[in-house]
Amino acid sequence: MKRLVFDPKVPECDENAFNLNADWTEFYGDVSEEDPPDMPEPLGNPVHINVFIDADHAGNVVTRRSHS
């Protein structure tokens, strides 16, 4: 049985761990994100999505469980 869990709490995250002012132009060049030409006009309020990913997904070869 699979479950999808929604947690309304905002996680505590130390933003000092991230380099928010990084200059990636040397790596990516002078690019900008393009919207699809047939994209509809957004309606309503914006949505923030937080995703947490386990780097060792199914690492246990016997049970296929993560090592966290």
Side-chain angles (χ1 to χ4, degrees):
M1 177 174 171
K2 299 187 187 303
R3 294 186 300 176
L4 180 61
V5 179
F6 293 97
D7 186 355
K9 296 180 288 200
V10 177
E12 293 182 24
C13 183
D14 181 14
E15 293 193 13
N16 293 322
F18 301 98
N19 184 0
L20 300 177
N21 298 319
D23 182 14
W24 290 93
T25 54
E26 182 179 335
F27 186 79
Y28 286 109
D30 188 23
V31 297
S32 62
E33 187 173 348
E34 293 183 19
D35 292 330
D38 58 348
M39 185 176 98
E41 195 66 32
L43 302 174
N45 296 324
V47 176
H48 296 276
I49 298 175
N50 294 310
V51 178
F52 297 94
I53 308 223
D54 188 350
D56 188 26
H57 174 71
N60 186 327
V61 295
V62 176
T63 63
R64 305 308 293 169
R65 291 184 179 176
S66 301
H67 295 253
S68 313

